[in-house]
Amino acid sequence: MLKQIVNGHILTPQGWLDNGSLIIEDNTIKAVSNSDLHIEGAEIIDAKGCHVVPGGIEMHVHGGGGRDFMEGSEEAFRVAINAHMKHGTTSIFPTLSSSTVPMIEAACETCDKLMKEKDSPVLGLHLEGPYFNPKQAGAQIPEWIKPPVAKEYEPLMEKYSCIKRWDEAPELPGSVEFIKACRKHNVLPAIAHTRATYEDVVAGYKAGMTHATHFYNAMPVVYKEHEFKVPGTVESIYSLPDMTVEVIADGIHVPPIMLRVVYQIKGVERTALITDSLACAASDGDVAFDPRVILEDGVCKLADRSALAGSIATMDRLVRTCVLKAQIPMEDACRMASETPARIMGVLDRKGTLEDGKDADIMMFDKDINLTYVMQMGREVTNTL
C-alpha cells in the first residue's frame, strides 16, 4: 500500500525540504520527492506544516507504561515498548540494569523472540552492568555489582546474538579482556558507573570501548588530590575526539546549559539522546516496580535522595528539551535522537534518516515542538494531527 506525506517541513540528510513529500510503500520509504503532487492511489497524510523527522532510536531505556525490562517477560517487554512508541520511539534497545545471569537469560529469550517478528521495533538488548565500580552504583542494585566474570559473560555473548551493547567500568580488573570479548562478539562496550582515570579511559578506548553511557551521570568530573587538579572521567572522555556519548536529555539529569556544552564539544555526530527511563515513564498513575525509588521533582530518585535513579522522559521530551531549553537547533536535536544512535549502534544502513530505501520510521512535531504523529515501519502509531 502506498502512502504519501505532504505539506510538511521534511528533514533530509541534505537539510530541510519544503513543498515536498515522502512516499511510503508498505514499511519502506520509496522516495523523498521535491514535489507534493498527490500520487494516484496513495493514502494522503497531511502533515499540516509540521516538522517531519526520522523516528527516534532509543538505545538506553529500562521500561515504561508501568513495566520494567528486568521482568524479562514478553508481556512486560510489549507494554513498555508500546508505551514509548506512542511518544516517538520507533526503534528500541531494551535495557537491563545490573542483573543476575538467569535474569539476563530470560530477557535474552524474550528479546530474541521479539526481534524475529516482522517489522519489530526491537533491535537488540542493552546490558547496563553488573560490572561496575561499587562506589558509583547509583540506583544499581549494589549486591549484584562486581568485576567482569569471563565464565559469565562469554557464554552469554556466545549464545545470544540479541546482546548488542554491554556497559562496564574500565578501571575494574579484567576490563580489557571484557572489552575485547565484546568486540569479538560485535557487542558495543560502553563506559558507565565508573571512577575511571584518564589512563583507565584511554586503556579502555584502545581496547575498543568507544562509547560513554549517560554522560556526566555516575562518573566524576575534575577533582583535587591535595593541591593538584586531576581530570575526571568526563574530561578524559572529552579528550578523546572519536569517543561517542549519550546524554539523558530530560533537562534534570544533565542541566540544559550542560546539554548545550556536550553538543558544542562532541557535536551532533557523536552525541546521542537517551531517556534512561524507568517503568513509571509513559505511565498513568503510580508505579512501584522498585521500592527503593521515589518519583519527585519530575524525576526518579533513590528514596534517601542520595542519587537520581532514572528518568520519566520519553523521546518527544528529549527533542523538546534540547530545542526549547538548551537552544539546540531542531534539525540537530532530531539527528541526535535518530541518526546518531543509528550510527553508534550500527543500523544507519536502514534507520536514522529519511532517505529512499530506508525503513518508514517517522515523527512529526508542530511549531511548538509538540509531537503530533508517529509512524513505525509504515504503520501509524500516534496521530493527533
Side-chain angles (χ1 to χ4, degrees), residues 216-217 248 250-255 258 275-276 299-300 308-311:
Y216 273 103
N217 293 107
I248 306 171
D250 61 355
I252 300 173
H253 279 77
V254 182
M258 292 167 64
T275 64
D276 194 11
V299 72
C300 298
L308 297 179
S311 86

Side-chain angles (χ1 to χ4, degrees), residues 210-237:
T210 58
H211 184 68
T213 301
H214 48 47
F215 193 47
Y216 273 103
N217 293 107
M219 59 182 66
V221 296
V222 62
Y223 57 95
K224 287 184 72 174
E225 283 186 357
H226 305 295
E227 68 272 37
F228 299 107
K229 292 182 179 66
V230 179
T233 308
V234 167
E235 291 78 22
S236 301
I237 291 167

